Amino acid sequence: MNELAKSLSEKEARQEEAHQALKKADQAISDANKRLRTLSAERRGVENRLAQLRRDGRRVESELGETERKIGQISRAQYLQMRRPAWQSWINGVSPGERTLETALLGYLQVAQVRAADDLEKQQADIRQVADETRTRSNELTRIQRDEEKSRTDLLAEKKERQEAASSLKREIADTQAELDKLRKDQARLGSLVATIDARLEKERAAEAAAARRAEEEAAKKAQRPAKVTPAPSGTAFAKLKGRLAKPVDGRIAARFGTKRTGSATWQGIRFRAPEGADVRAVAAGTVVFADWLRGYGNLIIVDHGGNYLSVYANNDTLLKNVGERVQQGETIGAVGSSGGDDEPGLYFELRHRGKPVNPSPWLGV
């Protein structure tokens, strides 16, 4: 259970790392989306600018064509005026002064139209330059947007992987938590069993004490002497064995009483690692009061030592004693195994007094 708690802590730490990674991925995707929106808006602005420049170009080209047409008309009028004889102007009622004024006016119009054409050509050149720069920016924005979209696609793929990892960790944590909950229920189940056994033994002891008193009273009446009251067993004999109990198995200690299992739960006994089939021995003389399978503890044997002291031996491969049998200190009562779903062979040992677990280490001298 201690290993499960450690595994759960590690998985929860990894889950926190996964959540932080997801947070960074989400933030990066958000930033990428923001940049893409900005780029799209700028690109739309550039495209609109290009469209306006194309419209301006067409307008200037049209105006330039019209101006060139007018220049042509003026040039033709000047040419015709120069070719027209003076007498023809006189016949048409045009005086020499009017003809001179007409010539000057045509010259002025031609100069004005030429200047207008020059201005339009300059505008046309400016529009081409701005259009070229705008197209360059548009192409640059297209490239940047393409790179940003690729980066966003990569980020989404990375986020998907991290989400899958986080989901997998969540399932693992749920499984581990479920197993820990199961262990707590198993622990409560053993406590309930011990309480039931204690209550039954207490009744049996009370009945035996009452029977002994009645027998003593009857014997006293016959002998005409005061009745001697026999006290109930106090467990003094077992208490004197503290520090001298037999070791229940030859093996190394994997977990000690009181060490953390998970959350606020602690080990209520000692977990020994030992080879499968190794002898499991009674720590002191007593009577077997339970020898059966119990969920979470596998093949379980419990020995009553009197005075409300019980010793508990779990995960046995084989139970060699039956309920009601007397056993002596050091006598083999079972064989090491991994029953009850344990991963490795070993023995789980508890010592209880009045139903409550006590630290076995001072009693075993380990």
Side-chain angles (χ1 to χ4, degrees):
M1 196 164 177
N2 203 21
E3 293 173 359
L4 277 175
K6 182 179 179 182
S7 174
L8 180 61
S9 297
E10 290 174 352
K11 288 173 183 175
E12 287 175 342
R14 284 164 52 202
Q15 186 184 46
E16 179 59 26
E17 291 175 0
H19 286 161
Q20 290 300 320
L22 273 176
K23 175 184 176 182
K24 290 181 180 179
D26 284 339
Q27 289 173 337
I29 290 171
S30 175
D31 292 341
N33 287 335
K34 184 178 180 180
R35 289 194 298 271
L36 280 171
R37 289 172 70 90
T38 302
L39 285 170
S40 295
E42 185 177 353
R43 189 177 177 187
R44 284 194 300 271
V46 169
E47 293 296 336
N48 291 336
R49 177 62 176 156
L50 273 174
Q52 182 62 47
L53 286 170
R54 283 192 289 269
R55 288 193 294 271
D56 291 345
R58 287 193 295 271
R59 176 183 57 77
V60 169
E61 187 175 359
S62 175
E63 291 178 1
L64 182 59
E66 179 64 19
T67 300
E68 288 175 346
R69 186 182 66 79
K70 289 179 180 179
I71 291 173
Q73 289 177 342
I74 293 171
S75 297
R76 179 175 174 77
Q78 286 177 325
Y79 173 76
L80 291 175
Q81 186 188 45
M82 290 175 61
R83 293 290 303 273
R84 188 168 59 236
W87 59 266
Q88 189 174 3
S89 297
W90 180 75
I91 292 174
N92 291 333
V94 178
S95 67
E98 289 175 335
R99 180 172 178 172
T100 301
L101 181 61
E102 183 180 353
T103 301
L105 181 60
L106 287 172
Y108 172 77
L109 289 174
Q110 186 179 36
V111 170
Q113 291 298 322
V114 169
R115 286 178 179 173
D118 289 342
D119 289 342
L120 288 171
E121 286 177 352
K122 185 177 182 303
Q123 287 183 41
Q124 198 173 43
D126 290 342
I127 288 171
R128 288 196 190 99
Q129 182 180 354
V130 173
D132 289 341
E133 292 173 355
T134 304
R135 274 191 292 270
T136 299
R137 179 57 179 165
S138 177
N139 293 335
E140 183 181 359
L141 287 173
T142 299
R143 179 186 59 77
I144 294 173
Q145 188 171 14
R146 185 170 56 247
D147 292 343
E148 286 289 345
E149 286 174 349
K150 182 180 182 303
S151 175
R152 180 177 178 275
T153 300
D154 293 341
L155 285 170
L156 287 172
E158 181 181 350
K159 178 184 177 181
K160 183 179 179 182
E161 291 179 3
R162 294 186 184 280
Q163 282 178 326
E164 290 174 352
S167 297
S168 177
L169 275 171
K170 185 177 180 180
R171 289 191 296 271
E172 289 179 19
I173 288 172
D175 292 343
T176 304
Q177 189 63 55
E179 190 170 354
L180 289 171
D181 290 342
K182 172 184 172 295
L183 289 175
R184 293 191 188 99
K185 290 178 181 178
D186 292 342
Q187 197 173 64
R189 192 176 294 110
L190 177 60
S192 177
L193 173 64
V194 169
T196 301
I197 291 172
D198 268 343
R200 176 170 57 82
L201 291 174
E202 192 65 33
K203 287 182 180 179
E204 290 176 358
R205 292 189 189 102
E208 289 173 0
R213 282 195 298 272
R214 286 194 299 271
E216 187 69 27
E217 288 171 357
E218 290 177 3
K221 286 179 182 179
K222 291 179 181 179
Q224 296 296 316
R225 60 180 175 79
K228 181 181 179 182
V229 179
T230 303
S234 63
T236 303
F238 184 83
K240 289 180 179 179
L241 293 175
K242 189 171 185 178
R244 296 187 292 117
L245 294 182
K247 194 175 179 182
V249 70
D250 292 327
R252 66 178 181 85
I253 295 176
R256 288 185 176 273
F257 177 90
T259 56
K260 188 175 180 180
R261 299 182 77 166
T262 180
S264 59
T266 57
W267 284 95
Q268 296 183 340
I270 295 178
R271 177 68 183 165
F272 292 93
R273 289 296 180 202
E276 188 167 356
D279 288 346
V280 175
R281 298 180 292 269
V283 295
T287 303
V288 176
V289 291
F290 185 87
D292 203 345
W293 189 90
L294 182 68
R295 181 180 295 180
Y297 296 90
N299 292 322
L300 177 72
I301 190 165
I302 300 177
V303 177
D304 173 30
H305 302 287
N308 299 110
Y309 283 99
L310 300 175
S311 56
V312 180
Y313 313 77
N315 307 122
N316 294 279
D317 180 63
T318 308
L319 300 178
L320 300 177
K321 297 295 180 180
N322 298 315
V323 173
E325 288 190 63
R326 287 285 301 172
V327 295
Q328 299 302 315
Q329 186 177 39
E331 185 176 350
T332 300
I333 58 176
V336 169
S338 56
S339 62
D342 207 5
D343 294 333
E344 298 180 40
L347 174 73
Y348 177 62
F349 174 78
E350 283 190 13
L351 189 62
R352 294 199 174 225
H353 184 229
R354 299 189 183 280
K356 295 182 179 180
V358 296
N359 187 359
S361 294
W363 291 79
L364 297 173
V366 295

